[in-house]
Amino acid sequence: MASADAPCYTLVNEDSSEAPTTQDLRTALQKGSDEVKLDTLRKIIVSTINGNPQPALLMPIIQYVMPSRNKQLKKLLHFYWEVCPKYDDNGKLKQEMILVVNAIRNDLQHPNEYIRGATLRFLQKISKEAELLEPLIPTCRACLEHRHSYVRKNAVFAVYSIYREFEHLIPDAPELIQTFLAAESDATCKRNAFVFLAHCAMPKAVEYIIQVFDQIPSMDELLQMSIIEVIRLDCKQETTHKSRYILLISELLNASSHAVKYEAAATLTSLTQNPAAVKAAASCYINLVQKESDNNAKLIVLDRLDALRSKHGHVLDPLIMDILQILSSADLEVRRKALSIVLSLVSSRNVEEVVLFLKKQLQKTQDQEFEKAPEYRQLLIQSIHVCAVRFSEVAASVVHALMDFLGDSNNPSALDVVAFVREVVEKFPQLRRTICEKLVQTLPEIKSGKVYRGVLWILGEYAEDIQEIQEIFRQLRKVLGEIPILASEQRLLEEASAEDGEEKGDQVKTESSKPKVLADGTYATETAFTSVSAARLEAVKAASKPPLRALILGGDFYTGSVLASALTKLVLRYTELSNEQRKCNALKAEAMLIMASVIRVGQSKFVTVPIDEDSSERIMNCIQTLSELETQPAVHEIFLKNTKAAYSKMVAAQEKKAAEKQESEKAKAAIVQVDDLLSFRQFSKKAADDVIDDSEDVNRATGAGEVTEDFLSNLSRISQLTGFSDPIYAEAYVKVHGFDILLDVLLVNQTADTLQNLCLDFATLGDLKLVERPSVYTIAPHSFQSIKATIKVSSTETGVIFGSILWEGPGLAEQCVILNDIHIDIMDYIKPAYCTEQQFRSMWTEFEWENRVNVTTTISDPREYLQHVMKATNMSCLTPEGAISGDCDFLSANMYARSLFGEDALANLSVERTEEGTITGHVRIRSKTQGIALSLGDRITMAQKDNKPPV
């Protein structure tokens, strides 16, 4: 469509290899059956919307297709009239269209209501063609009085389309439709007529609402929705009916339709800030979530409820138990969203009720048939954790209940409990003794090495009297079993050998199996060798063992090193508290025996994997501390104070970060300057919520309201496509907008010849798709031509656009210029984002694509290099500022970003400053898809090259 004002149609792929000639199409229309005509007309329509209108076929279609009574053919004919060229080269209506208008008039008077209705729908599509519509107006008006509702409802919208474009054709349309609405009984017809009044004659729509005010709650759902929309629009202006509207909307909160309820609740909060009205709207939302079956709808309603909570939190406090009932939903995302709203409403008045409810839900997850129990249990534990830390009065009541889940087979739940207990013992010293006692009792039930490490650290840090330390040692003996581990395992092996009767050391017994066919076709006898001693060793390994012993024999020596550290702390604290040297020495000896036993067994054949060097060195340090350095004050300082102080600092940093986030949310009010223009609207009573404006929502969703461009930023996005000496100079301005790329290409004819049939062909590489094919142009000598092309993007990968320019020069000789490639910048699609440490670790484990980039840079400061990488990749740093502050030659930081398409990008930077002052190390990038990992890696490599050495 060359004309800028021409309507836009959907592009349909046309198979050019089998394109029939005009004569073939004419013959098919003239002599073919209805099925052949259908197929032929379909081909003509596709050809027309792809830029080949074939005007010579207009008359054959009028002659041979228009008289047909086939309904499918009539419907397809409407599509053809919509897309075919209706005007000649001079812009005048073609003579043939008089026949078409006459046929349309006949269809509007057809006795079949389907044909009448379909024709009226067609009129809405050609509502911009005044010359075609004018003769049809009387017939169209007559259809408003037809006996069938299908005809009447389409007639209303046909009148609406015509009146909206050409008011002079039906000047009395509002009065006509108002009269129609008063007499109409069909619900859909009434709704269509009301929509007409709402858009074309708002006062008449308001007048109708007032007339039928008492009947509205019992009206049809569609009409109720339209009435709510009109109320919303009317209240944007000054209106005298606001109080009546509020009364009506309040009644519609009890409507049977969920859609009406939702719209009514949203509108009510925009009309009034009365707490009773806000509470009624919130109750309506909660009721919708409980009754609606679609999980997506539930999440949308919960988002609305959350927005209401952010503005009227105190009003919603009494509804917190109602919101908790949403947890009965089976979907985990709905539960998570509901719990986040509940946690933001929790106060000292209702925290006990909330925690009691959550504890009951936690008990229910123990049921084997409970859906998604492990994930839900973890969510509940995290929620109780938040409540207990914020409100100390409930910490004591929940901490013991949660510690029952330390032995949970679902590892994440148990880890969340350990994190919770660790924070509680740090924040509430009065609970430390009872918590430590409970932890000691649960030691035999714990199954996970990570959980053991957390519990051992807590016991080592917070066990503060002699009886506690002695009880911890007693329980550790039970969960470790007989000490030394190696000697007792060796004895078990010997006992197993003795039970077999005679000792047969490494005697081997041989068993023959069936003959086996080898690769070359010959037969061989397969012989199996089984070592008796190896079988006994496996039997000893598989025997039932205490939990901590089983972990160590299974190769978890990290837990062994944490055990050594905890034992060292307990012995050092015991020596500080006790004056009995004999007991101190006995305890020290036992601790050293356990540590030495872990190292010995780690070097033996009884463990799955041998002990690693780090764990061995750590345990040896602990043994050396107890044997040689016990009396040194620095040792006591390091083991008994520094680690606890580090954790306290971490908790304080987390609290500070949470407080800052809360403050930033409160301080979102715009700063007003003293000389700003005063808006008198500020004197009017402020509405509770912003009025919902769908058009503004659409603008925000498409980013239309965020376009802030300047000349310089546009210049930086210009790509030169051809050379200055080429016959045609071309450059493109690449504009990225959400999921679209707009190419604005400027062509300059640098020759003295007219370039005819010039065509710009683009092709793409990667997840890019060309939406439309540019038209053919003719460019005069030394003149310009601007061409626009749109490209769709479907994923975050570095895409390439390449192409060529073809034209006919003097003597119709074909000429061609190949264009430079345009590389699409991935950074336009990647935005900084944040996630928790647990989420980062989970995604890091899950994502399979990794790209490792070695660091080669002239930057000498690790933190400066981190900032450089973050700027180059649009990633945010997840590692807290406190963890990377200070002067250090090492730096490790986690970074995270998310693309517009919802793809996650993770990165880990590990660098070290050498003695020469240079930085070495690497950046590891992980993502779910290969493209984003490779693209970000290329970006970092380019950023390192661009970073010139300082002058």
Side-chain angles (χ1 to χ4, degrees), residues 326-459:
I326 296 170
L327 295 180
S328 59
S329 169
D331 186 70
L332 200 63
E333 282 303 314
V334 172
R335 289 170 174 167
R336 184 175 281 114
K337 186 74 182 173
L339 274 174
S340 72
I341 296 171
V342 166
L343 291 178
S344 57
L345 290 173
V346 168
S347 65
S348 53
R349 293 192 301 276
N350 55 30
V351 67
E352 289 183 5
E353 285 181 273
V354 171
V355 168
L356 184 64
F357 183 91
L358 295 179
K359 280 164 71 176
K360 286 179 181 175
Q361 288 287 309
L362 201 55
Q363 293 302 324
K364 286 183 184 177
T365 62
Q366 298 293 81
D367 186 357
Q368 293 296 320
E369 295 177 4
F370 199 87
E371 194 175 349
K372 291 185 179 176
E375 296 93 335
Y376 185 37
R377 190 181 311 138
Q378 188 180 355
L379 189 60
L380 289 169
I381 289 169
Q382 289 168 352
S383 304
I384 293 172
H385 179 170
V386 172
C387 291
V389 170
R390 280 172 56 193
F391 303 98
S392 54
E393 61 266 28
V394 296
S397 66
V398 298
V399 72
H400 292 289
L402 285 188
M403 280 197 280
D404 292 337
F405 293 93
L406 281 171
D408 196 346
S409 56
N410 180 35
N411 198 21
S413 297
L415 284 174
D416 283 333
V417 174
V418 168
F420 166 62
V421 173
R422 191 170 58 199
E423 197 167 342
V424 168
V425 291
E426 170 59 33
K427 286 191 168 184
F428 308 117
Q430 71 276 14
L431 299 176
R432 285 176 186 172
R433 186 179 181 84
T434 55
I435 288 174
C436 286
E437 286 174 3
K438 178 73 174 174
L439 283 177
V440 170
Q441 291 168 16
T442 55
L443 280 174
E445 300 166 12
I446 299 172
K447 302 177 182 70
S448 161
K450 283 186 177 180
V451 178
Y452 253 117
R453 293 197 287 273
V455 171
L456 288 169
W457 185 88
I458 293 168
L459 293 175

Side-chain angles (χ1 to χ4, degrees), residues 764-782:
T764 58
L765 189 68
D767 283 337
L768 304 175
K769 190 179 287 184
L770 195 66
V771 173
E772 54 193 341
R773 189 180 65 217
S775 302
V776 176
Y777 298 90
T778 298
I779 305 181
H782 304 294

